[in-house]
Amino acid sequence: MKLDLVVVGDANPDVVLSGVPDEMPYGQRERLADAGALTLGGSAAITACGAARLGLRTAFVGRVGDDPAGRFCLDALRDRGVDVSHCTVDPSVPTALTVVLVKGGDRAILTAPGCLPLLDVDDVDPALGLRTRHVHVSSYYLQPRLAAGLPAWFARLRAGGVTTSLDTNDDPSGRWAGGIAAALAQTDIFLPNEDEALALAGGGDVAAAARSLAGRSGRLVVVKRGARGALAWTADGPITVSAPPANPVDTVGAGDSFNAGFLAARLGGADIAAGLRLAVACGALSTRAAGGTAAQATLAEARGEMSDG
């Protein structure tokens, strides 16, 4: 079967605790949160689920452990219509685990990376590049082996007519290095959030950061701005859209649902402005429930939100 999208990167269970105390003291003291949920996490996994929900024929490629956490991830992806037949199950290293502490509109994230650093370009079946229209990679800084091979792999994909996109996500080290320039040179669509764009560009305002990251290659840079919508830097300058009004329950994974919406729109032939409008609608709708996948939008829902917003 011809695929629309192959998503490569991270998958892990998320334990999402909402309404946590202002301080989390040690000393074996117990504190209570308002609510908790066990959901599928990982930027790549959430993006893949969002894309499948929007109707794209989607495969996910990642690495999980041979443990209950890994089986939970693969089952959750399958249940959402994502092909996981090319994933690696590693019996030697555990699946990554993440705890998300949500307080108001902010959150703290703790991840035990487990097998994520072992994911490699060689884990991706080369035949997938012949079967798909687009490849998206998430969580560049959590997967150093994948990051090291990304420039050459993306170059091969593009030479074969496959378009590429990248969402670095956060850099836990705070250094924002690791050869990202070489990877961006082979990336058709770069999808950072505002903080990531500013960190990678060395500061400035968001438009200047997007322009800097676009460089001279014609790369499309799309910056996610949360409640402030999104900005894309194109050959003709910036395009901005506002976000529809929302009363978020939980913003975990909203940026990944945005990614899915933008890629679905562009693969469907939409122009950049229409792609941004669909993307911000998908991001906003995903905040209706705890976790990254529970409230992801269908294409009809997202188009309705576009009309309303």
Side-chain angles (χ1 to χ4, degrees):
M1 183 183 68
K2 184 75 173 179
L3 295 165
D4 296 307
L5 177 66
V6 172
V7 182
V8 181
D10 50 332
N12 54 264
D14 273 356
V15 177
V16 183
L17 299 178
S18 304
V20 299
D22 289 341
E23 296 182 2
M24 298 295 294
Y26 287 87
Q28 302 184 49
R29 298 295 310 279
E30 186 165 1
R31 295 289 186 270
L32 300 180
D34 293 339
L38 174 64
T39 69
L40 177 65
S43 176
I46 295 171
T47 298
C49 289
R53 180 77 167 154
L54 291 166
L56 295 186
R57 294 162 295 184
T58 304
F60 170 80
V61 180
R63 183 177 284 258
V64 298
D66 186 12
D67 52 28
R71 290 186 282 277
F72 171 85
C73 292
L74 297 182
D75 286 346
L77 284 155
R78 287 191 199 97
D79 288 347
R80 288 163 175 81
V82 178
D83 178 356
V84 296
S85 61
H86 295 277
C87 287
T88 297
V89 177
D90 188 337
S92 67
V93 187
T95 302
L97 294 170
T98 292
V99 176
V100 183
L101 305 178
V102 180
K103 184 178 68 173
D106 200 3
R107 62 185 185 267
I109 304 170
L110 294 172
T111 294
C115 59
L116 293 184
L118 301 181
L119 183 65
D120 193 288
V121 166
D122 291 339
D123 290 330
V124 185
D125 183 349
L128 278 179
L130 303 176
R131 293 178 49 210
T132 191
R133 299 166 61 199
H134 186 90
V135 170
H136 175 76
V137 171
S138 292
S139 297
Y140 178 92
Y141 291 103
L142 292 180
Q143 299 162 122
R145 290 189 183 180
L146 179 64
L150 199 60
W153 182 48
F154 267 15
R156 293 194 297 272
L157 290 169
R158 296 174 82 200
V162 178
T163 53
T164 60
S165 58
L166 173 65
D167 185 348
T168 60
N169 304 97
D170 195 21
D171 178 4
S173 75
R175 292 192 296 268
W176 299 97
I180 187 66
L184 288 180
Q186 300 298 333
T187 298
D188 293 302
I189 306 172
F190 182 40
L191 292 152
N193 67 26
E194 186 167 355
D195 289 341
E196 293 155 3
L198 293 174
L200 286 164
D205 61 50
V206 65
R211 181 177 64 237
S212 172
L213 292 168
R216 299 180 181 178
S217 65
R219 176 173 51 252
L220 177 60
V221 176
V222 177
V223 182
K224 296 164 283 194
R225 306 189 71 197
R228 289 177 288 181
L231 177 146
W233 189 269
T234 73
D236 297 320
I239 297 174
T240 61
V241 301
S242 59
N247 294 305
V249 173
D250 176 15
T251 60
V252 170
D256 307 313
S257 292
F258 176 107
N259 292 347
F262 189 77
L263 295 176
R266 293 294 283 165
L267 289 170
D271 63 22
I272 294 171
L276 290 175
R277 290 194 295 271
L278 184 73
V280 296
C282 289
L285 289 170
S286 77
T287 68
R288 295 173 292 177
T293 60
Q296 286 181 312
T298 64
L299 189 58
E301 288 175 324
R303 285 174 171 165
E305 187 76 358
M306 289 169 65
S307 301
D308 295 340

